[in-house]
Amino acid sequence: MKRLWLIFAQTVTVCLGILFLVATLRPQWLPGGTPEPAPAGGASMAPAAGRGAAPFSYAPAVARAAPSVVNIYTAKHVDVPLVPLPADPRLEQFLRGLPGFTRREASTSLGSGVIVRADGTILTNYHVIEAADAIEVRLHDGRQATAKLVGADPESDLAVLKIGLPDLPAIAFDPDPTVRVGDVVLAIGNPFGVGQTTTQGIVSAVGRNRLGLNTYEDFIQTDAAINPGNSGGALIDARGELVGINTAIYSETGGSLGIGFAIPAAAAHHILDEILEHGRVRRGWLGLEPQDITPDLARAFGLKDTRGAIVARILPGGPAARAGVRVGDVIRALDGQPVEDAYDLVNRLAPLPADSTARLTLLRQGKTLTLDARVGVRPPARRPGR
């Protein structure tokens, strides 16, 4: 018995000694131990299989996408007044029309763009090239070319350009990427003209609208730094694939405050196809102007809530007028689905094809009625002031 106890004690002592050595020299071998340090020299580490861990470096993603992001330089001529203009807009307009009151001066601006097809097709923001007399594009490899405007969609602030250079690197472009709040994103562009720059952040929100930037808004919000000159550049994910076109920032100083907005890649892809195929974007339209229902209007119309949209104006001879819609009608549903507000109605009409039928559920003088309207094509509109 004494001999067995001695063997047991010696075994325990040896095991404790081995455990001490492993814990001191190779702690990563133990469950929950400290992982091995990253390789020297800034090498990136691939995500652990099945764990979804982010890489330590986004250099491969940037290397994949950066060659597809271009710098855009525009030139245009503007009328500059020779004397200070009065505060009265009508008097200002009158004076601008007088000969000799203004002089024409050249003005230049800069922005960014993304090569989305190897044939030289480039996506950028409309406000980057708006009213430009000349558009120059500079590639990541130093080549330059004059760009031709293929088409533009002021209501979404997107434009399509074309350049004629060989061997162009098109960005990886998923037409329907999944973007989630918290995803890591990188913004690539040419801020302040300093040269191509990459900033990193996360997706702060999706579906941002009612910002007053465009007629149709469905922005990705990110805290990746977006500054003047970044407009039209790429917002990419950690794989280097395009998820959005950088468009605008919220700022009280002119610089980045961590609130930037990008047009989702899915919307950009649809607009790109429409412009290339039809020269412009076709959207469903009924020829009416909807208005949100405020609490005061709800009380005036005897409504129990503020859901829906009030018809504030109707185009004579338009689809809504021909269907029998009247000013003052309250649109409560479209094709059987409740309408939340005026913005919801306009955005749900937009994808409807021309000559299709839209079923409107209305409230008129306290009574519910249903009307079928033949959808038309929204006429081209000027972009709202920025």
Side-chain angles (χ1 to χ4, degrees):
M1 188 68 179
K2 183 177 180 181
R3 181 178 177 84
L4 292 176
W5 174 253
L6 181 61
I7 294 174
F8 172 76
Q10 289 175 340
T11 302
V12 171
T13 302
V14 171
C15 291
L16 290 174
I18 293 174
L19 181 62
F20 174 77
L21 291 174
V22 171
T24 303
L25 301 178
R26 291 290 187 271
Q28 66 272 12
W29 290 0
L30 299 176
T34 304
E36 292 187 12
S44 64
M45 182 174 292
R51 296 183 184 177
F56 285 95
S57 173
Y58 299 104
V62 175
R64 184 184 184 191
S68 304
V69 181
V70 301
N71 299 341
I72 295 178
Y73 302 88
T74 63
K76 60 183 175 182
H77 289 82
V78 295
D79 292 327
V80 179
L82 298 176
V83 296
L85 292 173
D88 188 337
R90 290 174 295 181
L91 183 57
E92 175 188 341
Q93 185 176 7
F94 171 75
L95 292 175
R96 281 185 180 274
L98 295 178
F101 188 79
T102 61
R103 68 171 181 268
R104 297 279 286 174
E105 288 188 359
S107 172
T108 59
S109 61
L110 57 89
S112 304
V114 184
I115 301 173
V116 292
R117 295 192 179 181
D119 63 358
T121 302
I122 295 173
L123 264 177
T124 187
N125 285 138
Y126 172 69
H127 74 263
V128 170
I129 53 85
E130 183 178 8
D133 297 320
I135 306 172
E136 292 290 327
V137 172
R138 179 177 298 171
L139 274 64
H140 185 263
D141 59 13
R143 289 183 293 170
Q144 293 184 222
T146 299
K148 173 187 176 183
L149 177 62
V150 177
D153 183 44
E155 294 183 310
S156 67
D157 196 19
L158 283 174
V160 178
L161 308 178
K162 187 73 174 289
I163 58 174
L165 291 176
D167 303 322
L168 295 175
I171 199 165
F173 197 170
D174 185 349
D176 192 19
T178 300
V179 180
R180 303 167 300 171
V181 174
D183 283 350
V184 172
V185 287
L186 307 167
I188 307 177
N190 181 26
F192 299 108
V194 300
Q196 191 175 92
T197 302
T198 301
T199 56
Q200 180 261 337
I202 65 168
V203 174
S204 307
V206 295
R208 283 285 190 239
N209 52 51
R210 293 181 174 274
L211 302 177
L213 299 174
N214 306 323
T215 303
Y216 295 95
E217 298 178 343
D218 183 25
F219 291 118
I220 299 170
Q221 181 182 327
T222 177
D223 64 348
I226 297 174
N227 289 290
N230 271 108
S231 291
L235 188 71
I236 64 172
D237 60 18
R239 298 183 300 274
E241 296 184 1
L242 186 73
V243 297
I245 301 294
N246 300 323
T247 298
I249 60 173
Y250 172 81
S251 176
E252 298 177 351
T253 62
S256 175
L257 295 180
I259 303 178
F261 303 101
I263 298 170
H269 193 278
H270 171 72
I271 291 168
L272 170 67
D273 289 343
E274 283 282 307
I275 290 176
L276 292 179
E277 185 174 352
H278 305 288
R280 70 183 185 95
V281 180
R282 303 171 303 167
R283 294 186 173 93
W285 174 77
L286 290 181
L288 59 81
E289 181 180 322
Q291 178 181 340
D292 286 343
I293 303 175
T294 64
D296 289 339
L297 287 174
R299 285 192 293 270
F301 280 81
L303 304 176
K304 297 180 180 179
D305 53 52
T306 58
R307 288 190 304 105
I310 295 176
V311 178
R313 188 168 59 181
I314 293 180
L315 179 69
R322 292 195 299 268
V325 180
R326 301 177 186 174
V327 172
D329 287 347
V330 179
I331 301 177
R332 300 287 274 183
L334 172 63
D335 292 334
Q337 298 299 317
V339 171
E340 294 299 324
D341 51 30
Y343 181 87
D344 180 43
L345 176 64
V346 171
N347 277 270
R348 285 170 54 191
L349 285 172
L352 297 180
D355 294 328
S356 63
T357 299
R359 174 155 293 185
L360 302 174
T361 302
L362 310 174
L363 282 179
R364 179 183 297 170
Q365 298 178 348
K367 297 181 180 180
T368 301
L369 66 154
T370 300
L371 298 176
D372 288 336
R374 186 175 295 276
V375 178
V377 177
R378 182 180 176 90
R382 293 182 59 85
R383 179 173 171 271
R386 181 176 289 271

